[in-house]
């Protein structure tokens, strides 16, 4: 949680292949090239739609063909890929992002965009400044808590942990975020407790 | 004294989340405010949309947003979790009794009207803060000629003032179990009345601790009224020797003649002398028989059972009862201040001093431990002073004389004078009931308010009570007060020293007071006392003012 964030300008990590107002599915440019769980991503363009990575999956591009075990003896996975370069073409990594906000005419909104991103839009990982700007308010957290897939509590704790490292005072950020969560999860104390425990360990 | 503190902004506590006028307003505490910082009895101000409310904390409780919190508490050894959960999922609430509304401070009519009793509650989510010193001053008024600083609210340095002008208009009570500071408080009140000139005092000083000097709980000497305000206080004594032993020359030595005793005085002594109703009532028959004055002298001069039984036959009273009455009343002969003389001037002397605006403290000296003597003297003198006041008040109504100065009579062990059995008939009961009609009021000092007639209790204008722990006493003090149940919590949590709950006519709302200091040189100076050095400087200044600077 305390590792310094990468401060490079990110190229597109993938392309939208399925989209709805609440979530979008991105296929990564590179196999295993998905941003980690809880990462803030956005679709291309000035009116970006922000999402938080909630589920990452790698599978065969042909749903009818299931990958088979290919390792011989004590071969490492690296050796398997080296020996079968076609694998990087037959498999694909995809991630699903929960829509948490959008930008319209330069203004950031932390609620659902009126329309989903277009298919084949490029998806970028947000840089540090954008992550700080976006996590300036936690108004979007209810969207995460109601994410239709994945483990919402893990998504939120991963996001907060990642976002905290971008803030100048991570502890303060986490305490304030925790209090916001506590208010949102008023009647669900055990759930809150679970998230808080994840944030500290 | 308060300059350094007024700079601090009042501490924000939380916001209104529910409640009612009768049950009090529920306030959820902020994350930053711990229940440990808020005490029952603390003043708070609530900023409503159009009005400012002023209230008092009556209950502090703990709440949780989720009931499972109690069954499976979080791991608070993890500081992060503790920090997040406290104040959010697990929070403190306080109940605030809205007492007064202060209206829009911009509105000039509001300032003229002053605070009004609260008849509604602030809206949801109104912000609640600890009352500032300015609020206290707005509510209780600043210190001035008739507003006497009696102490501070809990945890504040602001000066809380009692409106003595209103205070002396009615009879008042000071209660508390022994050792809680009743005497200190009473001495302060007397000093306040004395300074403000709102009334003259007559103190029946049972333990001789108001006049010249008294002792604090710690055993230190404290100055009495005479030492502080020698030109305005006269000390009368029943026991000259005792006064002199304590280094004081009494202004007058009080003596009482047997002829001055009335059957009514005997009624008052019934309990103390353990007399039956029949025996006590026999005094009336005796007075009729012997005719007006002198009945007691003649009765006590009888000797032997036969003559008593003979008399009993003559006046139609039970012989045993009369014998008992005779036996008990002979005790009065042992009181040195009583004699056969019939024309004592004590009442006139007291009245002369009172008329001059002097305050009179009557010391009982060694008779302080003799309850019968205390009751007899207090009752007898008060009855006659009251008679005079009634006459003069009537004359004033007929415009033949001036209004008599308002008089406050201080009695201790008041339950002995005001028990339900005798309160109907005695002069003290009358004074308490008729209020200020005749410009005479009582300051009742007592440790057992439950022993006082409830009608009298209900007539007391302002009650200031230190800690009381008997249920009956608490009930007696709080009967008929609105918010009774909540005040009870406050009253039972008072500290045993220097704290009192004050409520009634002279205060806009009930308040817990940390009584101001009395007994330190600073406290004397604050009361206007000048020691020898200051007096000398003052005289020099006066001489200079009169005759110009002294050369050489």
């Amino acid at each position: 949680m305390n590792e310094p964030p990468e401060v490079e300008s990110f190229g597109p990590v993938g392309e939208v292949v399925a989209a709805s107002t609440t979530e979008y599915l991105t296929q990564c440019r590179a196999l295993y090239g998905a941003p980690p769980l809880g990462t803030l991503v956005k679709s291309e363009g000035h009116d970006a739609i922000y999402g938080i990575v909630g589920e990452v999956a790698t599978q065969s591009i042909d749903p009818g063909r299931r990958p088979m075990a290919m390792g011989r003896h004590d071969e490492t996975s690296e050796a398997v890929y080296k020996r079968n370069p076609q694998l990087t073409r037959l498999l694909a990594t995809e991630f699903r992002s929960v829509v948490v906000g959008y930008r319209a005419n330069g203004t950031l909104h932390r609620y659902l965009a009126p329309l989903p991103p277009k298919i084949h839009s490029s998806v970028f990982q947000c840089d540090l400044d954008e992550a700080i700007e976006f996590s300036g308010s936690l108004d979007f957290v209810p969207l995460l808590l109601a994410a239709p897939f994945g483990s919402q509590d893990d998504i939120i704790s991963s996001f907060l942990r990642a976002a905290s490292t971008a803030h100048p005072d991570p502890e303060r950020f986490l305490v304030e975020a925790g209090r916001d969560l506590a208010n949102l999860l008023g009647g669900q104390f055990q759930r809150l407790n679970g998230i808080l425990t994840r944030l500290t360990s | 004294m308060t300059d350094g503190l007024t700079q601090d902004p009042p501490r924000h506590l939380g916001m209104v989340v529910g409640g009612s006028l009768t049950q009090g307003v529920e306030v959820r505490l902020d994350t930053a405010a711990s229940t440990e910082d808020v005490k029952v009895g603390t003043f708070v101000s609530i900023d409503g949309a159009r009005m400012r409310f002023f209230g008092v904390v009556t209950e502090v409780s703990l709440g949780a947003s989720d009931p499972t919190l109690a069954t499976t508490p979080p791991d608070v050894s993890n500081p992060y979790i503790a920090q997040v959960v406290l104040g959010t999922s697990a929070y403190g609430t306080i109940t605030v009794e809205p007492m007064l509304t202060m209206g829009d401070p911009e509105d000039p009519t509001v300032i003229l009207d002053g605070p009004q009793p609260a008849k509604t509650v602030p809206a949801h989510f109104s912000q609640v803060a600890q009352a500032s010193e300015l609020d206290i001053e707005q509510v209780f008024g600043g210190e001035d000629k008739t507003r006497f600083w009696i102490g501070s609210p809990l945890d504040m340095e602001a000066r809380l003032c009692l409106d003595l002008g209103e205070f002396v208009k009615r009879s008042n009570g000071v209660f508390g179990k022994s050792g809680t500071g009743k005497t200190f408080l009473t001495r302060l009140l007397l000093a306040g009345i004395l300074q403000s000139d709102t009334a003259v005092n007559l103190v029946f000083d049972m333990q001789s601790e108001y006049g010249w000097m008294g002792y604090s709980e710690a055993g230190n000497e404290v100055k009495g009224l005479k030492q502080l305000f020698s030109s305005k206080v006269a000390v009368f004594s029943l026991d000259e020797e005792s006064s002199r032993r304590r280094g004081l020359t009494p202004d007058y030595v009080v003596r009482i003649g047997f002829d001055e005793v009335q059957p009514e005085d005997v009624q008052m002594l019934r309990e103390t002398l353990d007399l039956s109703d029949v025996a006590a009532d026999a005094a009336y028959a005796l007075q009729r028989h012997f005719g007006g004055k002198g009945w007691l002298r003649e009765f006590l001069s009888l000797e032997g059972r036969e003559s008593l039984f003979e008399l009993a036959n003559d006046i139609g009273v039970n012989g045993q009862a009369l014998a008992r009455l005779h036996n008990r009343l002979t005790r009065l002969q042992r009181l040195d201040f009583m004699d056969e003389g019939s024309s004592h001037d004590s009442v006139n002397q007291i009245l002369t001093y009172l008329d001059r605006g002097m305050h009179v403290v009557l010391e009982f000296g060694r008779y302080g431990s003799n309850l019968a003597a205390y009751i007899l003297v207090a009752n007898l003198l008060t009855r006659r002073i009251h008679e005079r006041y009634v006459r003069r008040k009537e004359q004033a109504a007929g415009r033949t004389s001036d209004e008599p100065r308002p008089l406050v009579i201080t009695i201790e062990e008041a339950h002995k004078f005001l028990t339900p059995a005798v309160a109907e008939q005695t002069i003290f009961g009358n004074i308490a009931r008729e209020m200020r009609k005749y410009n005479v009021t009582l300051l009742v000092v007592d440790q057992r308010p439950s022993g006082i007639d409830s009608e009298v209790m209900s007539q007391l204008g302002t009650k200031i009570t230190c800690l009381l722990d008997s249920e009956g006493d608490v009930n007696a003090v709080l009967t008929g007060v609105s918010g009774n149940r909540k005040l009870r919590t406050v009253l039972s949590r008072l500290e045993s020293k220097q704290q009192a709950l004050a409520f009634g006519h002279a205060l806009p709302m009930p308040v817990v007071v940390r009584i101001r200091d009395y007994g330190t040189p600073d406290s004397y100076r604050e009361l206007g006392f000048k020691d020898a050095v200051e007096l000398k400087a003052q005289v020099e200044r006066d001489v200079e003012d009169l005759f110009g600077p002294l050369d050489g």
Side-chain angles (χ1 to χ4, degrees), chain A residues 17-138:
Chain A
V17 290
S20 72
T21 44
T22 54
E23 57 172 297
Y24 53 90
L25 181 67
T26 309
Q27 186 170 350
C28 295
R29 290 271 161 94
L31 183 64
Y32 302 123
L37 204 64
T39 306
L40 183 68
V41 295
K42 62 175 180 182
S43 66
E44 68 178 54
H46 288 299
D47 296 346
I49 294 175
Y50 290 91
I52 288 175
V53 178
E55 195 173 60
V56 182
T58 301
Q59 56 199 356
S60 165
I61 52 171
D62 180 355
R65 292 183 61 183
R66 209 157 65 95
M68 312 286 287
M70 300 174 94
R72 300 179 190 153
H73 310 297
D74 53 353
E75 210 175 19
T76 61
S77 62
E78 207 180 335
V80 172
Y81 280 101
K82 212 168 183 177
R83 196 160 47 77
N84 299 289
Q86 79 283 6
L87 281 180
T88 54
R89 299 285 173 195
L90 294 175
L91 296 173
T93 300
E94 293 173 340
F95 62 88
R96 293 169 85 175
S97 316
V98 190
V99 175
V100 288
Y102 68 103
R103 204 180 279 279
N105 303 321
T107 312
L108 183 61
H109 302 283
R110 294 181 183 83
Y111 45 85
L112 287 188
L115 289 168
K118 288 179 187 158
I119 304 295
H120 299 303
S121 308
S122 296
V123 174
F124 299 85
Q125 189 169 338
C126 293
D127 64 14
L128 202 63
D129 292 341
E130 226 164 353
I132 291 179
E133 185 195 3
F134 196 83
S135 57
S137 154
L138 295 181

Side-chain angles (χ1 to χ4, degrees), chain B residues 180-201:
Chain B
T180 50
K182 285 193 302 293
T183 308
F184 266 72
L185 179 54
T186 309
R187 209 183 276 127
L188 260 178
L189 290 172
L190 292 174
I193 295 174
L194 194 151
Q195 266 190 322
S196 66
D197 244 349
T198 42
V200 281
N201 289 301

Side-chain angles (χ1 to χ4, degrees), chain A residues 174-175 178-179 182-183 186-190 192-193 196-197 199-200, chain B residues 28 31 65-66 68-69 72 74-75 78 80-81 83-85 88-89:
Chain A
L174 281 181
V175 168
R179 286 183 179 155
N183 290 329
Q188 305 175 59
F189 180 69
Q190 297 314 325
L192 171 72
N193 201 20
L196 296 181
T197 313
L199 282 175
T200 48
Chain B
R28 182 172 164 158
T31 320
S65 57
D66 181 356
T68 61
L69 194 95
T72 44
D75 174 18
N78 180 332
Y80 171 65
I81 293 185
Q83 218 178 340
V84 169
V85 170
T88 52
S89 302

Side-chain angles (χ1 to χ4, degrees), chain B residues 279-334:
Chain B
D281 288 343
Y284 291 104
L286 285 170
Q287 191 188 30
R288 274 197 302 278
H289 178 76
F290 291 115
K293 282 188 168 184
W295 68 272
L296 181 59
R297 195 161 28 92
E298 295 199 27
F299 177 53
L300 290 178
S301 66
L302 292 177
E303 277 173 22
R305 282 182 82 76
E306 292 76 25
S307 50
L308 281 175
F309 275 84
E310 207 174 296
L311 175 64
N313 259 334
D314 288 353
I315 58 173
V317 176
N318 177 299
Q320 292 291 350
L322 195 68
R324 189 169 179 84
L325 179 67
H326 187 268
N327 170 297
R328 295 303 154 109
L329 289 182
T330 48
R331 288 187 192 174
L332 299 182
Q333 288 175 313
R334 280 180 248 153

